[in-house]
Amino acid sequence: MIIMKRLSPQWEKATGNKINWVVLEENVLRQRVTTDIATKGGEFDVITIGAYETPIWGKLGWLSPLNDFDKSYDYADLFPSLRNGLSVNGTLYAAPFYAESSFTLYRSDLFKQAGLVMPEHPTWNQVAGLADKLTDRSKGVYGICLRGKPGWGESMGIITTMANTFGGSWFDMSWQPQLTSQPWEKAVSFYVDLLRRDGPPGATSNGFNENQALFATGHCAIWVDATSAAGRLYNKETSKVGGVLAFAQAPVDVTPKGAAWFWAWSLAIPATTHHLDAAKSFVQWATSKDYVNLVGTTAGWVAAPPGTRQSTYDNPNYQKAAPFAGMVLKAILSADPAHPTENPVPYTGIQFVAIPEFQAIGTTVSQDIAAALAGRETVAAALSAAQAQTVSAMQQANYLK
């Protein structure tokens, strides 16, 4: 997005239009955009949303269809799973500017110094054991960094994938919440203990951006998070650890299902826009093959938007600049939102549940778990409160009798 903002004057000059950028922290972005579009406030002409909101809002008629870009856009070049995830009944409602899964990033220099090896497909227990050996608080190095900042799209992203791979799910087939089940208790206890033992201080304040900054400045030995971080961290102009960055698949436990998430940050146009033609022109430009090439030639190919187009991964310039590209693509394409858990569930979505109520539910549960992480209550008490609140929310929404 930083690069897009820097390059956007080229679109402005070519079209005569002007963009007024509003840059918000992730949790604030989600709240403000959701409020505006649900109330038909009409504050924005183009919004940044993801794979959770797009099909829900598209179905409700809150978004403008994006099926009529010109031929040069090449819809077929977008990965099919991405097109499907951002469409309703074959109609595209958001255009992806990058897509991601999750995986394990680590510092190869610290591993080499300690005589340690990261498995290509690690388990969470293996990751925890390695983190224990790499924590050196005297040098400001923490064995692992994980999201702890509350938010359905912040800490709940990593926590839900952990619950999935520990054998859990948000709901059973009757929509009964499962937050006090054994897999959730084990997963959240593991998460809390690991971060307290080997994580940085104040973990409840650290989301994606904060952890990325910690890793880029050499303070994290291991970080499990979005594949989209790879380009920025590999780039020596934006990262002190670019020369020692290494990758492995997302950690697993009793099942590989739902261990790595699926997400696509995308540009959408509210149905309330008064500048539809200009908005469509910008969205097409900012998510096109030409734009990817523009980024590659001006900001460096390592910074090219990942995960969206086959042509990007076929480009030898990108392959050379981004040796992690194959692993990233494998993680994105292997993520299966339709089958996110070991046992059958009535919902789709890996690190979220694709129902309108989840945004509020996920945020509330994340706050309960943050209280346990901060030591204000036990994991059992936090999950008991989360279970009760989620049952109440599902009853109010008529999922439960």
Side-chain angles (χ1 to χ4, degrees):
M1 287 302 289
I2 294 168
I3 295 170
M4 187 186 294
K5 185 178 180 182
R6 191 169 73 232
L7 294 176
S8 62
Q10 296 194 29
W11 175 83
E12 291 175 326
K13 184 178 180 180
T15 63
N17 294 304
K18 174 68 178 173
I19 300 171
N20 297 313
W21 288 82
V22 180
V23 181
L24 303 168
E25 188 272 330
E26 187 167 324
N27 284 338
V28 178
L29 166 76
R30 297 181 191 279
Q31 184 178 30
R32 188 162 163 189
V33 167
T34 300
T35 300
D36 182 69
I37 200 160
T39 59
K40 295 181 170 59
E43 184 177 359
F44 305 112
D45 295 302
V46 178
I47 55 177
T48 302
I49 61 174
Y52 165 71
E53 301 96 340
T54 301
I56 296 172
W57 295 1
K59 189 175 182 180
L60 290 170
W62 292 354
L63 303 174
S64 299
L66 299 178
N67 274 12
D68 56 352
F69 293 153
D70 63 43
K71 188 176 181 180
S72 67
Y73 188 74
D74 193 1
Y75 286 98
D77 188 48
L78 296 171
F79 290 116
S81 59
L82 207 55
R83 294 201 310 270
N84 294 338
L86 298 173
S87 298
V88 178
N89 297 326
T91 297
L92 191 73
Y93 282 99
F97 63 86
Y98 72 85
E100 65 184 33
S101 185
S102 53
F103 67 169
T104 304
L105 306 97
Y106 65 97
R107 284 181 55 184
S108 61
D109 58 333
L110 296 181
F111 274 72
K112 186 176 181 179
Q113 290 167 18
L116 301 173
V117 176
M118 173 69 77
E120 184 180 348
H121 297 276
T123 66
W124 272 110
N125 280 322
Q126 288 173 326
V127 166
L130 293 166
D132 288 344
K133 294 174 182 176
L134 292 166
T135 296
D136 188 346
R137 295 183 184 278
S138 67
K139 295 181 179 178
V141 175
Y142 307 102
I144 193 163
C145 292
L146 297 172
R147 300 186 192 192
K149 180 187 288 187
W152 72 267
E154 277 283 10
S155 63
M156 286 318 302
I158 187 69
I159 292 168
T160 299
T161 59
M162 290 179 75
N164 291 340
T165 195
F166 274 71
S169 62
W170 269 91
F171 303 98
D172 66 13
M173 287 299 290
S174 300
W175 289 105
Q176 186 67 37
Q178 300 294 298
L179 297 170
T180 51
S181 64
Q182 186 181 37
W184 269 88
E185 293 235 4
K186 285 183 65 177
V188 175
S189 295
F190 185 93
Y191 162 84
V192 167
D193 291 345
L194 178 58
L195 267 182
R196 284 187 185 171
R197 196 169 64 243
D198 296 310
T204 56
S205 297
N206 295 339
F208 172 80
N209 287 327
E210 293 80 8
N211 282 319
Q212 181 173 248
L214 283 168
F215 197 98
T217 51
H219 293 290
C220 304
I222 303 169
W223 182 31
V224 182
D225 212 292
T227 57
S228 57
R232 187 168 180 81
L233 292 175
Y234 193 77
N235 187 344
K236 294 178 182 179
E237 293 183 8
T238 54
S239 170
K240 291 182 179 179
V241 297
V244 295
L245 190 62
F247 310 93
Q249 297 295 334
V252 301
D253 194 70
V254 299
T255 176
K257 286 193 174 183
W261 67 57
F262 175 83
W263 187 253
W265 277 118
S266 307
L267 299 179
I269 302 172
T272 51
T273 181
H274 296 295
H275 305 98
L276 181 60
D277 290 343
K280 277 190 174 181
S281 171
F282 177 75
V283 171
Q284 175 172 335
W285 173 81
T287 61
S288 66
K289 288 193 289 187
D290 287 343
Y291 176 79
V292 173
N293 289 325
L294 178 63
V295 173
T297 54
T298 59
W301 278 100
V302 72
T308 60
R309 290 183 170 275
Q310 183 65 53
S311 57
T312 303
Y313 290 82
D314 291 341
N315 190 314
N317 294 314
Y318 185 65
Q319 293 171 6
K320 182 179 179 180
F324 50 81
M327 179 176 286
V328 169
L329 185 60
K330 181 180 177 182
I332 292 171
L333 297 183
S334 62
D336 186 2
H339 304 93
T341 57
E342 184 175 33
N343 296 314
V345 289
Y347 59 85
T348 60
I350 297 174
Q351 79 280 23
F352 59 83
V353 177
I355 59 174
E357 295 77 13
F358 181 75
Q359 187 162 344
I361 289 171
T363 297
T364 299
V365 172
S366 74
Q367 292 164 346
D368 291 321
I369 294 175
L373 179 58
R376 295 194 299 270
E377 60 182 335
T378 65
V379 168
L383 290 178
S384 179
Q387 175 78 5
Q389 292 160 344
T390 306
V391 167
S392 177
M394 296 300 281
Q395 287 173 337
Q396 291 176 16
N398 295 318
Y399 287 85
L400 299 173
K401 301 297 183 184

